[in-house]
Amino acid sequence: MHRTYSLRNARAPTASQLQSPPPPTSSTKSKFFGKAGIASSFRKNAAGNFGPELSRKLSALIKLEKSVLRSIELVARERREVAKQLSVWGEDNDDDVSDVTDKLGVLIYEIGELEDQFIDKYDQYRITLKGIRDIEASVQPSRDRKQKITDEIAHLKYKDPQSPKIPVLEQELVRAEAESLVAEAQLSNITREKLKAGFNYQFDALRELAEKLALIAGYGKALLELLDDSPVTPGETRPAYDGYEASKQIIIDAENALASWTLDQAAVKPALSLHHTVDDVYEEGEEAAAEEEWAEEHEKA
């Protein structure tokens, strides 16, 4: 966690980061706070209007995903500010409220940190989709060439059926179709490869964020149990607060739980009604075997 017991200590790498080193900082992160709104609006209006026709739809998706990441970046920043302000507000309250709000600030600040890390991991999905977009753009010229030759042949057959250019164009069309077959096969293969890899990045990032948020929520509720919310009558004094060690231990436990969490230890797993099992989804060896089996079945079909 970014802080240990209050808002000052730096954190060591977590088990998840050691198992899978964090990706580079997302290219979507704004350098100047507050400029994302104009850029986001422009991207939404311009998405899909430029570039080769074949790649426009995916280009629009990639641009919109950039807006999503900018929005998450804003939320992460605001959440860290909320955590600081919660601690500032609670400081002047009674001892129990002061201690608990400071520790809650630690947990909420950590949520902002996790969201910031999520942006970098989510961006790996977006970058992977760019690989599909690039191959789509490279395939467009071969499609255009084939269509152009086809149109020329049709025009000549209508205008001058005996034209000597027709056999020449038909030979060019055969070559263009052969080139197009290669390009289309490459597009098909890369689309499936990168689509699968990209959404694996996204779902792994979502899974890590969701499970760590659930852990933080649990430790946050444990902190709230330290507050004595029984009503007092005017003039009555509450018992002295003695939860400092307990609140400190809750933060330590939260820190250890988050630092040691890895994808292998994820608690939530899907209940699949298909012939696939959970291990097919999450175990690398099982997944490869399942893919091979599916490919064989597909070839037979």
Side-chain angles (χ1 to χ4, degrees), residues 255-267:
E255 182 179 40
N256 291 337
L258 292 172
S260 62
W261 187 93
T262 63
L263 280 172
D264 297 337
Q265 299 171 351

Side-chain angles (χ1 to χ4, degrees), residues 26-36 70 73-74 77:
S26 169
S27 58
T28 67
K29 288 184 176 176
S30 57
K31 296 181 180 179
F32 303 101
F33 184 76
K35 289 195 174 182
R70 286 286 177 84
E73 180 187 0
L74 177 61
R77 287 179 177 177

Side-chain angles (χ1 to χ4, degrees), residues 8-217:
R8 298 177 184 85
N9 295 341
R11 62 179 173 185
T14 65
S16 177
Q17 291 171 335
L18 293 173
Q19 182 188 57
S20 179
T25 301
S26 169
S27 58
T28 67
K29 288 184 176 176
S30 57
K31 296 181 180 179
F32 303 101
F33 184 76
K35 289 195 174 182
I38 298 175
S40 174
S41 177
F42 175 78
R43 280 192 297 272
K44 289 178 181 177
N45 293 330
N49 293 334
F50 304 101
E53 183 178 356
L54 180 60
S55 62
R56 286 181 184 177
K57 292 180 179 179
L58 187 53
S59 292
L61 172 62
I62 292 168
K63 289 175 182 177
L64 291 172
E65 288 286 21
K66 187 171 186 177
S67 296
V68 170
L69 291 177
R70 286 286 177 84
S71 300
I72 298 172
E73 180 187 0
L74 177 61
V75 170
R77 287 179 177 177
E78 295 289 355
R79 197 171 322 262
R80 291 193 289 265
E81 292 302 317
V82 165
K84 293 176 183 178
Q85 192 60 34
L86 175 62
S87 180
V88 169
W89 168 75
E91 187 175 6
D92 294 331
N93 280 266
D94 293 339
D95 290 346
D96 56 347
V97 175
S98 176
D99 182 49
V100 170
T101 53
D102 187 42
K103 299 303 190 294
L104 288 174
V106 173
L107 295 180
I108 293 173
Y109 193 98
E110 180 63 18
I111 293 176
E113 291 286 276
L114 291 173
E115 289 168 335
D116 199 61
Q117 295 168 18
F118 172 76
I119 294 170
D120 298 335
K121 296 178 180 179
Y122 192 96
D123 195 44
Q124 295 299 297
Y125 142 76
R126 198 180 68 89
I127 291 172
T128 304
L129 290 188
K130 285 184 176 181
I132 304 177
R133 180 202 61 189
D134 293 343
I135 191 67
E136 284 181 344
S138 69
V139 168
Q140 186 70 57
S142 67
R143 286 190 179 185
D144 292 343
R145 180 168 178 264
K146 187 174 70 171
Q147 187 60 48
K148 181 180 179 181
I149 297 172
T150 301
D151 292 342
E152 288 181 6
I153 292 173
H155 177 71
L156 283 174
K157 284 184 176 180
Y158 174 77
K159 185 179 179 180
D160 184 9
Q162 304 303 320
S163 173
K165 291 183 178 180
I166 294 177
V168 176
L169 289 173
E170 287 177 340
Q171 291 180 358
E172 287 186 19
L173 180 60
V174 170
R175 289 192 293 271
E177 287 176 339
E179 292 174 2
S180 180
L181 282 175
V182 174
E184 295 290 348
Q186 185 181 22
L187 172 61
S188 177
N189 293 337
I190 290 179
T191 296
R192 284 158 176 77
E193 174 192 343
K194 292 191 176 294
L195 182 66
K196 188 171 184 178
F199 274 93
N200 269 325
Y201 282 131
Q202 181 185 145
F203 291 140
D204 283 347
L206 284 169
R207 195 171 177 220
E208 178 176 356
L209 178 63
E211 295 224 355
K212 287 186 174 181
L213 289 179
L215 285 171
I216 289 175

Side-chain angles (χ1 to χ4, degrees), residues 252-297:
I252 292 174
D253 292 342
E255 182 179 40
N256 291 337
L258 292 172
S260 62
W261 187 93
T262 63
L263 280 172
D264 297 337
Q265 299 171 351
V268 179
K269 294 184 179 180
L272 300 174
S273 59
L274 304 175
H275 69 280
H276 290 294
T277 66
V278 171
D279 288 340
D280 292 328
V281 178
Y282 291 124
E283 296 295 331
E284 185 176 356
E286 295 286 338
E287 183 179 358
E291 288 178 4
E292 185 177 350
E293 178 183 352
W294 180 89
E296 292 175 357
E297 293 176 356

